């Protein structure tokens, strides 16, 4: 397929050449799409990376093909260049069908990259406002910038360069046809981004865990003051203090310190690419159970290039990998000389994964497909929420009914056991840094 001199052709879902004979999928639309079936709107191309999931980025070959086709020089450092693609904003919306479509914004980049100016993002939002029949998905790793930008738009602020434009002066936010989301790959990236997500003004929010590189606990985010953010429930649980024996306690979940916007949708997917980083099925099941408890729609995209297998070819399968719950990889697929390795069964059994699995089984979790979509938000109201340490403390001081963090002399009513794993509460007599590390690292149930 040859690109025109004016820009991307209709559809712009390129067919990339297979890297090797074992490549399962060469269609880019299957690797950079959200859940499949979206139109890809490439308003920005290129990314400066910086995340653990960026080592084998599926969008990088697309960027290189796009750059060469448009006369840009490509070398080892060019991936850090970000293009705000003006043609995509001016011309491509006219090509979209009139019927409602799901449109993924900047699949080969990040609209909220620091190199993309606010004035350009204003114009992208205006196109979304002018096409209310379509649903747009804004997905970013830069949740802090997204929060700052969209909070300013909610207050009616636009970039100085656009203030003379009548149409842009009428730009509104939030828009009912726009869903905002964060992508993450492990517990630390999730914790660092989800707080910004719930503080961002929007009608719908989602989390994409792809590629999943380790266990992720979506339901609880311990904060620096020992309060607990529950993103799926939409609350902040107050830390009550310590009793005379030094045990930590929290307020009951039905008496939250703050109510915050809850996550509306969760998407999970495995790793695709040359590097070998398959995910353990127990990680996915844990997120599924958390979503089911809170009635949050869950979409499983699939295992990626590696999928679980029960039919073992220990002598001939060069791609076989044994995955432990802690992320340890063994087997010939990661360079071991043999597949005959002891398999652990406690506390969570190891699993065998291979590139040779049946392609039709790659999106099944325990024999079932999970493809729930985000729900409608008709009539939903938008709240601007500040979950910062200062905001929570001010809320405590201004609310006489709210608890004040600190030691207590009498044994308080123990918070709901599900708030944290209560079995470990007696051990929580360590400094806050140790407590955070303990909370993040303990096994998921």
């Amino acid at each position: 397929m040859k690109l025109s001199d004016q820009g991307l052709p209709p559809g712009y879902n390129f067919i990339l050449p297979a890297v090797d004979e074992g490549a399962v999928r060469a269609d880019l639309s299957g690797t950079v799409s959200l859940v499949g079936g979206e139109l890809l709107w490439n308003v920005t191309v290129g990314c400066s990376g910086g995340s653990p999931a960026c080592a084998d980025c599926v969008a990088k070959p697309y960027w290189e093909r796009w750059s060469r086709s448009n006369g840009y020089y490509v070398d080892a450092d060019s991936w850090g260049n970000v293009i705000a693609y003006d043609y995509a904003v001016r011309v491509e919306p006219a090509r979209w069908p009139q019927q409602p479509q799901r449109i993924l914004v900047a699949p080969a980049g990040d609209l909220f990259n620091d190199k993309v100016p606010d004035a350009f993002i204003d114009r992208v939002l205006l196109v979304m406002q002018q096409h209310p029949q379509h649903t747009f998905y804004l997905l970013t790793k830069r949740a802090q910038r997204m929060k700052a930008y969209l909070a300013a738009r909610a207050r009616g602020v636009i970039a100085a360069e656009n203030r003379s434009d009548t149409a842009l002066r009428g730009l509104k936010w939030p828009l009912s046809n726009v869903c905002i989301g964060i992508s993450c790959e492990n517990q630390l990236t999730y914790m660092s981004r989800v707080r910004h997500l719930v503080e961002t003004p929007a009608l719908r929010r989602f989390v994409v865990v792809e590629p999943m590189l380790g266990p992720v606990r979506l339901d609880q985010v311990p904060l620096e003051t020992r309060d607990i953010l529950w993103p799926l429930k939409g609350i902040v649980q107050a830390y009550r203090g310590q009793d005379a024996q030094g045990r930590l306690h929290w307020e009951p979940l039905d008496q939250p310190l703050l109510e915050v916007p809850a996550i509306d949708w969760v998407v999970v997917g495995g790793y695709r690419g040359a590097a070998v980083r398959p995910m353990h099925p127990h990680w996915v099941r844990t997120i599924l159970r958390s979503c089911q408890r809170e009635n949050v729609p869950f979409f499983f995209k699939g295992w990626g290039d590696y999928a679980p297998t029960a039919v073992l070819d220990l002598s001939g399968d060069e791609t076989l990998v044994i995955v432990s719950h802690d992320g340890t990889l063994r087997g010939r697929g990661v360079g071991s000389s043999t597949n005959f390795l002891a398999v652990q069964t406690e506390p969570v059994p190891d699993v065998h994964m291979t590139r040779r699995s049946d392609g039709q089984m790659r999106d099944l979790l325990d024999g079932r497909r999970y493809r729930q979509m985000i729900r409608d938000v008709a009539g939903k109201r938008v709240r601007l929420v500040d979950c910062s340490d200062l905001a929570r403390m001010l809320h405590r001081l201004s609310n006489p009914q709210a608890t004040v963090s600190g030691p207590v002399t009498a044994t308080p009513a123990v918070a709901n056991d599900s708030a944290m794993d209560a079995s470990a509460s007696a051990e929580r007599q360590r400094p806050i840094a140790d407590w955070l590390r303990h909370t993040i690292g303990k096994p998921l149930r």
Side-chain angles (χ1 to χ4, degrees):
M1 180 185 296
K2 180 176 175 57
L3 294 177
S4 67
D5 295 333
Q6 296 179 333
L8 298 172
Y12 47 85
N13 292 332
F14 295 107
I15 306 299
L16 298 179
V19 177
D20 54 51
E21 294 181 358
V24 176
R25 185 179 296 170
D27 182 357
L28 186 75
S29 65
T31 59
V32 301
S33 65
L34 184 57
V35 295
E38 304 94 5
L39 291 179
L40 307 182
W41 189 25
N42 292 284
V43 292
T44 65
V45 183
C47 183
S48 52
S51 181
C54 299
D56 196 12
C57 180
V58 296
K60 190 171 182 179
Y62 171 80
W63 153 252
E64 294 175 348
R65 181 183 178 92
W66 186 93
S67 297
R68 292 190 179 98
S69 300
N70 286 273
Y72 293 97
Y73 180 72
V74 175
D75 61 12
D77 299 323
S78 62
W79 178 235
N81 298 326
V82 176
I83 293 178
Y85 195 34
D86 182 73
Y87 178 88
V89 178
R90 289 187 298 102
V91 178
E92 289 180 6
R95 297 172 173 171
W96 295 337
Q98 291 301 311
Q99 297 78 12
Q101 304 289 322
R102 291 184 290 111
I103 299 177
L104 180 60
V105 181
D110 192 326
L111 182 64
F112 297 101
N113 191 294
D114 294 340
K115 298 181 181 180
V116 179
D118 285 357
F120 182 81
I121 305 177
D122 286 347
R123 296 174 55 207
V124 173
L125 288 188
L126 182 62
V127 172
M128 300 177 189
Q129 180 174 287
Q130 294 171 340
H131 293 79
Q133 74 275 29
H134 302 317
T135 301
F136 296 88
Y137 296 85
L138 289 177
L139 182 63
T140 184
K141 288 182 171 62
R142 296 163 176 85
Q144 189 167 6
R145 195 209 169 179
M146 179 178 69
K147 177 181 71 174
Y149 170 84
L150 292 179
R153 298 303 164 268
R155 298 192 301 268
V157 179
I158 64 172
E161 302 94 306
N162 294 332
R163 290 172 186 167
S164 61
D165 191 310
T166 304
L168 286 169
R169 285 206 305 270
L171 178 61
K172 305 295 183 182
W173 183 262
L175 298 174
S176 61
N177 63 330
V178 179
C179 310
I180 65 168
I182 57 168
S183 64
C184 54
E185 55 273 8
N186 55 30
Q187 186 69 39
L188 292 178
T189 54
Y190 172 70
M191 292 174 60
S192 67
R193 296 166 188 169
V194 71
R195 230 172 86 174
H196 299 302
L197 179 64
V198 300
E199 293 175 342
T200 303
L203 286 175
R204 286 184 282 186
R205 297 168 180 80
F206 64 99
V207 172
V208 177
V209 186
E210 184 188 25
M212 195 177 196
L213 303 183
V216 179
R217 189 174 199 146
L218 292 187
D219 54 353
Q220 305 173 43
V221 176
L223 305 176
E224 290 80 357
T225 55
R226 298 189 182 182
D227 297 326
I228 303 172
L229 170 64
W230 295 75
L232 301 182
K233 292 180 180 292
I235 64 171
V236 174
Q237 184 182 25
Y239 168 63
R240 185 167 185 174
Q242 296 180 342
D243 60 19
Q245 287 73 42
R247 293 172 298 188
L248 308 185
H249 296 272
W250 288 263
E251 291 293 326
L253 290 174
D254 58 359
Q255 300 176 24
L257 175 65
L258 289 174
E259 292 186 359
V260 300
I263 303 302
D264 299 292
W265 189 34
V266 174
V267 178
V268 175
Y271 189 85
R272 298 181 180 91
V276 180
R277 290 187 282 181
M279 60 184 176
H280 196 288
H282 187 72
W283 304 345
V284 186
R285 296 187 192 109
T286 300
I287 292 182
L288 171 62
R289 287 196 294 268
S290 296
C291 291
Q292 290 175 334
R293 282 195 299 267
E294 306 303 333
N295 196 28
V296 176
F298 174 82
F299 194 106
F300 182 53
K301 290 183 65 173
W303 300 103
D305 288 348
Y306 273 83
T309 179
V311 181
L312 303 180
D313 181 3
L314 296 178
S315 59
D317 190 350
E318 299 287 343
T319 71
L320 194 67
V321 176
I322 301 171
V323 185
S324 299
H325 179 261
D326 62 0
T328 301
L329 305 179
R330 297 169 291 157
R332 298 175 72 177
V334 289
S336 299
S337 60
T338 177
N339 287 328
F340 292 92
L341 297 172
V343 177
Q344 300 177 5
T345 58
E346 296 293 339
V348 178
D350 291 350
V351 295
H352 292 86
M353 304 190 75
T354 178
R355 287 183 183 264
R356 295 184 179 180
S357 60
D358 184 353
Q360 296 181 352
M361 305 296 291
R362 290 181 179 272
D363 59 351
L364 297 182
L365 174 60
D366 298 328
R368 178 181 172 184
R369 287 184 174 86
Y370 292 89
R371 294 182 173 178
Q372 296 174 320
M373 297 297 296
I374 193 168
R375 300 189 181 101
D376 190 16
V377 292
K380 186 176 180 180
R381 299 182 62 184
V382 177
R383 290 174 292 159
L384 294 176
V385 178
D386 184 357
C387 297
S388 66
D389 297 342
L390 176 60
R392 284 181 280 117
M393 184 56 68
L394 290 175
H395 181 77
R396 282 189 171 96
L397 295 175
S398 63
N399 184 357
Q401 302 300 321
T403 183
V404 177
S405 171
V408 296
T409 55
T411 302
V414 178
N416 189 320
D417 285 352
S418 62
M420 303 292 287
D421 286 338
S423 61
S425 62
E427 302 173 13
R428 296 184 189 132
Q429 303 178 30
R430 51 178 65 86
I432 184 63
D434 291 342
W435 176 78
L436 283 171
R437 285 193 292 269
H438 170 74
T439 303
I440 296 170
K442 63 187 175 184
L444 301 175
R445 299 183 184 277

